[in-house]
Amino acid sequence: MTQSIAPIAKKIPHQLTIHNETRIDNYYWMRDDSRTDKEILAHLTAENAYCDAMLAPQKTLQDSLFEELKSRICKDDNSVPVKDGDYWYHSEVSGDEEYSRYYRAADNKGSNKQLLLDVNALAASHEHFELGDMSISPDDSLLTYASDLDGRRIYTVNFKHVESGELINDVLENTEGQIVWANDNKTVFYVKKDPQTLLGTQVYRHVLGTSQSDDELVYEEEDHSFYMSLDKSRDESLIFINLESTETSDTWYINANAPMDEFAQLIDCIDEHEYSVDKLGDTFYIVSNHQATNFKVMTATTETIFDVEQWATKIDHREDVLIEDIEIFNDYLIIVERELGQIRFVIHRGDTNYPITFDDPCYYACLGDNPEPSSTQARIYYSSLTTPGSLFETDLATTDRTLLKAQKVLGEFNSDDYQSERIFVTSRDNQQVPVSLVYKKSLYQQDGTNPVLQYGYGAYGITIDPNFSPHTLSLLNRGFVYAIAHVRGSEMLGRQWYDNGKKSHKQNTFNDFIDVSKHLLDEKIAHPQKLFASGGSAGGLLMGAIINQAPQLYRGVGAHVPFVDVVTTMLDESIPLTTNEYDEWGNPNELAAYHTIKAYSPIDNVTAQHYPNLLVTTGLHDSQVQYFEPMKWVAKLRELKTNDNLLVFKTDMESGHAGASGRFKSLEEKALEMAFFINLCD
């Protein structure tokens, strides 16, 4: 049965009072942490039916796009084997399988190949399946794997014998999905999740052969503004507890050979000191922002590591270069840097250093999997908007590169048919905002006739680099230009680019995106009636803000798992992740932050005005942006908007924040959005 009449949500006024101000939320009733309320589920089902009915005219195109996207994927595909210890590890996927199978072998040719894990078999009886971390015990005899069955990112960890494939009785529930082995091959450490807030605040020690109920709490973090993770040093001598808030780092450790020891603080914790630390041999390497906005690389010994003032400078701070990462080898050090938005790698050996360079005008590159510190070669992944992903092995002495594997794009694809470029748009406050563009040469006119899809994110310092996507070809081949607006809130132009797009400066993110849109129209890159925008999560917040502030610019907008009820969420510490986010958005319990957030919070600024055509998607089990945020937002938009443009809302009743699991099933949402935009061009 189709639903062609928009579901109108009932209104139950709910008062939210703080700072002597009362907001009325008519849709607060939609919140149900248990996700079992029949009325709420019925409303979501009605919204899904309405979405299907309203988008029925595009269904043929949508199905065609899905097959098109699927047809470009190489069905039989193997990863490049990587050596870790005595074995070489790789994955394989074939046919219509949604998931991979993981193997290890005696050499890179696959001799004596052993099956470690068949994810298809694990997922067969589940509507949703996400594989978390896998790990191998130091003696290579045991495997752990973590699984999430509903998208809430609460993982169960299982253990199995590699040789026999048999599971052992040990099972760890309600974890972050990450296991770190002590060097005794029988002790593991994991982070347990709070089932309500979904925060990981406790580290437990588990000894194989014992019940989880007997596990010992070895560390608990009382400050819930920190995210918690576990790691092992490069030389495998230490186990780390890494604590990261938006602006401060803290690290605790034990000797991996003495797992019954108590954890101790590694570095004196200083407010607003962010760092990452690793160890190889007798030397600690620290990427630190101590008196260094764009970070510097420091070294220390066991005797000096606790006191930042005793560290030695390896690579000093530079105003125009952001240090993003390092990789430590016995004889080499690779520094990942970013200048004017472009990533580069610099190899350091003793007192000499030399770069690894690339040719594309804008591109993405990152370090690959390099588990062996004794290696004299490093794997580097490279991609651009016109170049499929390529994995290279780089000789660290000469920088000579050997291509190990290039992403296959099935069908008629020729990279030379497409053009990418990097432009800079002057913002209203005279900042130069980078924009990455890609288009098909034969279809690009720059005369105001091309449709444009503009993508943005702009939060957490996450930079959306110009990476190749075979899916985008379906738009480019239909004359679309794809544009990534590298707005403030990312670190595209260094740490200050991020700092100027968060908390009290958050409005810069929205201004940048809107200013880029105006430039695309003014320069006739985009058709005045065919400019589209898309973003998810914090990028969904961006979408919600721009359609309130400049709705006339956009023909259609896709908002996916959008963070749109910012004030209410940030005032509710029972909601997952809220307390971790104060240093990103501000704490609205404080008056100034409250007014800043309220001024842009999408749901708080919906007004009676014309809105673009809107496609909103979410997952019922989303643990990061709760389903009721977009649900409430859509209800309020439907109540107040003054035109007849489409407003459709699709909820995946089986998934979470990341959407549908599986390599093919996940294409359905991409096809849905593409068809939505293409159909609006007619």
Side-chain angles (χ1 to χ4, degrees):
M1 183 178 74
T2 61
Q3 169 73 49
S4 57
I5 299 175
I8 303 300
K10 69 179 181 181
K11 294 163 65 173
I12 303 176
H14 180 84
Q15 292 188 355
L16 297 164
T17 301
I18 191 172
H19 304 306
N20 296 317
E21 180 177 300
T22 297
R23 293 177 300 128
I24 302 298
D25 185 346
N26 290 319
Y27 304 106
Y28 193 86
W29 64 268
M30 292 178 170
R31 171 177 171 163
D32 171 35
D33 295 338
S34 71
R35 290 160 170 75
T36 58
D37 184 282
K38 291 182 179 178
E39 185 176 11
I40 291 173
L41 294 177
H43 188 84
L44 292 173
T45 301
E47 286 281 11
N48 281 349
Y50 176 71
C51 179
D52 291 342
M54 298 308 292
L55 299 187
Q58 73 173 47
K59 188 64 168 63
T60 300
L61 173 61
Q62 186 179 321
D63 291 343
S64 175
L65 282 165
F66 174 76
E67 293 301 327
E68 196 174 298
L69 299 178
K70 189 176 177 181
S71 71
R72 292 196 190 99
I73 296 177
C74 185
K75 289 193 172 184
D76 300 325
D77 200 13
N78 298 349
S79 68
V80 179
V82 60
K83 187 175 187 295
D84 188 356
D86 293 334
Y87 294 92
W88 293 75
Y89 295 84
H90 77 284
S91 64
E92 299 178 7
V93 66
S94 60
D96 290 325
E97 290 176 339
E98 292 279 4
Y99 304 94
S100 295
R101 283 162 280 118
Y102 293 86
Y103 295 90
R104 75 178 184 189
D107 54 39
N108 65 350
K109 297 178 182 178
S111 302
N112 301 316
K113 185 171 73 173
Q114 291 177 290
L115 176 65
L116 298 175
L117 201 66
D118 182 350
V119 184
N120 296 285
L122 295 175
S125 59
H126 304 286
E127 286 292 328
H128 184 92
F129 186 92
E130 288 182 25
L131 181 68
D133 282 0
M134 295 172 54
S135 66
I136 298 284
S137 60
D139 66 0
D140 298 320
S141 67
L142 294 171
L143 166 77
T144 73
Y145 65 91
S147 54
D148 168 21
L149 303 183
D150 64 10
R152 293 286 284 168
R153 298 185 178 178
I154 303 174
Y155 292 90
T156 298
V157 177
N158 292 94
F159 297 74
K160 65 184 292 187
H161 293 284
V162 174
E163 291 296 331
S164 68
E166 294 180 1
L167 290 174
I168 64 176
N169 291 331
D170 300 59
V171 178
L172 305 178
E173 304 280 1
N174 298 320
T175 82
E176 287 276 11
Q178 183 188 32
I179 290 292
V180 173
W181 288 88
N183 292 340
D184 64 358
N185 299 292
K186 66 178 183 179
T187 307
V188 298
F189 296 87
Y190 64 96
V191 178
K192 200 168 186 178
K193 274 200 168 183
D194 183 293
Q196 173 63 37
T197 66
L198 301 188
L199 295 177
T201 60
Q202 297 176 320
V203 179
Y204 280 85
R205 175 169 47 220
H206 176 78
V207 178
L208 292 185
T210 65
S211 169
Q212 185 180 12
S213 62
D214 295 328
D215 290 352
E216 184 179 357
L217 175 66
V218 295
Y219 183 87
E220 182 166 13
E221 180 54 53
E222 301 292 343
D223 185 346
H224 291 177
S225 66
F226 283 92
Y227 289 101
M228 177 184 286
S229 63
L230 302 174
D231 202 0
K232 207 168 186 180
S233 61
R234 182 76 159 153
D235 60 10
E236 300 189 345
S237 67
L238 301 179
I239 294 171
F240 295 133
I241 298 173
N242 296 320
L243 301 166
E244 297 287 344
S245 71
T246 303
E247 297 180 341
T248 303
S249 305
D250 192 13
T251 303
W252 293 64
Y253 77 100
I254 59 166
N255 185 330
N257 292 311
M260 295 301 162
D261 284 358
E262 291 187 5
F263 278 86
Q265 193 174 43
L266 182 68
I267 297 169
D268 186 26
C269 186
I270 303 170
D271 282 347
E272 299 187 5
H273 181 203
E274 295 177 63
Y275 65 84
S276 60
V277 60
D278 207 345
K279 176 180 175 289
L280 183 61
D282 296 326
T283 305
F284 287 93
Y285 293 82
I286 313 101
V287 180
S288 165
N289 75 340
H290 180 63
Q291 300 175 350
T293 302
N294 277 329
F295 294 83
K296 57 187 174 183
V297 179
M298 310 291 284
T299 59
T301 65
T302 301
E303 290 74 26
T304 63
I305 183 63
F306 185 76
D307 183 5
V308 65
E309 300 301 334
Q310 296 189 58
W311 297 352
T313 300
K314 176 74 174 176
I315 300 167
D316 212 344
H317 172 256
R318 288 155 290 172
E319 292 292 338
D320 55 351
V321 177
L322 174 69
I323 295 178
E324 291 197 337
D325 197 8
I326 63 172
E327 188 84 280
I328 312 165
F329 295 87
N330 290 349
D331 298 318
Y332 300 91
L333 180 66
I334 302 178
I335 311 298
V336 184
E337 301 180 345
R338 188 186 294 271
E339 184 173 16
L340 287 176
Q342 297 287 45
I343 291 172
R344 66 167 173 252
F345 304 96
V346 181
I347 301 171
H348 289 253
R349 184 177 190 183
D351 295 328
T352 64
N353 66 83
Y354 37 94
I356 300 172
T357 58
F358 304 99
D359 298 328
D360 279 304
C362 52
Y363 59 83
Y364 169 66
C366 68
L367 293 169
D369 196 4
N370 297 292
E372 296 285 315
S374 61
S375 179
T376 59
Q377 296 181 319
R379 291 188 176 180
I380 290 176
Y381 176 87
Y382 177 82
S383 172
S384 77
L385 290 170
T386 59
T387 308
S390 304
L391 183 66
F392 293 94
E393 192 146 72
T394 302
D395 187 304
L396 294 176
T398 65
T399 73
D400 291 341
R401 291 197 293 264
T402 301
L403 179 64
L404 299 179
K405 181 181 179 180
Q407 178 184 2
K408 291 181 181 178
V409 182
L410 302 183
E412 297 179 1
F413 169 73
N414 184 343
S415 153
D416 293 335
D417 292 340
Y418 304 88
Q419 179 70 44
S420 67
E421 55 183 281
R422 170 70 52 80
I423 65 173
F424 288 85
V425 173
T426 303
S427 68
R428 64 193 70 183
D429 60 345
N430 209 34
Q431 297 297 304
Q432 296 298 303
V433 182
V435 182
S436 300
L437 300 174
V438 64
Y439 47 83
K440 191 169 187 178
K441 296 176 185 176
S442 62
L443 298 177
Y444 180 55
Q445 307 299 328
Q446 200 173 349
D447 61 358
T449 60
N450 285 94
V452 171
L453 173 57
Q454 180 181 335
Y455 178 82
Y457 187 75
Y460 303 107
I462 294 172
T463 299
I464 307 299
D465 281 297
N467 202 359
F468 182 81
S469 168
H471 313 317
T472 306
L473 296 175
S474 292
L475 292 177
L476 305 185
N477 292 342
R478 289 171 171 83
F480 273 73
V481 178
Y482 181 64
I484 306 172
H486 304 290
V487 295
R488 277 171 280 188
S490 75
E491 286 187 337
M492 175 58 80
L493 297 183
R495 179 63 186 216
Q496 62 275 14
W497 200 246
Y498 169 40
D499 290 339
N500 287 323
K502 69 174 186 177
K503 294 203 293 191
S504 62
H505 303 294
K506 189 61 197 170
Q507 183 59 39
N508 287 331
T509 302
F510 317 132
N511 290 348
D512 286 353
F513 194 90
I514 291 168
D515 291 346
V516 168
S517 298
K518 291 178 177 177
H519 179 89
L520 296 175
L521 293 167
D522 291 344
E523 295 301 312
K524 299 187 182 301
I525 296 171
H527 187 292
Q529 298 300 319
K530 296 181 182 179
L531 177 58
F532 303 92
S534 179
S537 194
L541 162 60
L542 173 59
M543 295 301 105
I546 64 162
I547 65 169
N548 283 333
Q549 298 175 24
Q552 74 283 356
L553 296 178
Y554 307 99
R555 174 71 172 161
V557 170
H560 308 294
V561 292
F563 178 37
V564 287
D565 196 7
V566 190
V567 179
T568 303
T569 291
M570 294 306 297
L571 284 170
D572 189 345
E573 294 186 11
S574 72
I575 291 179
L577 310 185
T578 289
T579 54
N580 297 100
E581 305 287 308
Y582 288 152
D583 287 337
E584 178 70 27
W585 312 105
N587 182 352
N589 290 294
E590 300 168 0
L591 182 61
Y594 171 80
H595 284 300
T596 296
I597 296 170
K598 185 170 174 284
Y600 67 73
S601 176
I603 201 168
D604 291 289
N605 290 281
V606 173
T607 61
Q609 64 174 342
H610 285 11
Y611 279 94
N613 295 280
L614 291 171
L615 169 64
V616 183
T617 65
T618 192
L620 180 63
H621 300 285
D622 194 332
S623 61
Q624 290 183 267
V625 178
Q626 307 299 304
Y627 75 90
F628 45 80
E629 290 203 30
M631 185 183 182
K632 289 165 57 178
W633 182 50
V634 167
K636 190 170 182 180
L637 282 164
R638 190 162 280 140
E639 174 192 351
L640 293 177
K641 78 184 192 78
T642 55
N643 59 358
D644 294 328
N645 281 343
L646 286 169
L647 171 55
V648 289
F649 177 39
K650 188 83 168 180
T651 301
D652 187 330
M653 307 298 274
E654 306 295 338
S655 77
H657 195 66
S661 59
R663 60 175 180 155
F664 296 128
K665 189 177 180 182
S666 62
L667 299 177
E668 292 175 1
E669 187 174 302
K670 292 181 174 64
L672 175 72
E673 182 183 67
M674 285 185 182
F676 183 74
F677 293 149
I678 294 168
N679 203 52
L680 289 170
C681 289
D682 295 338

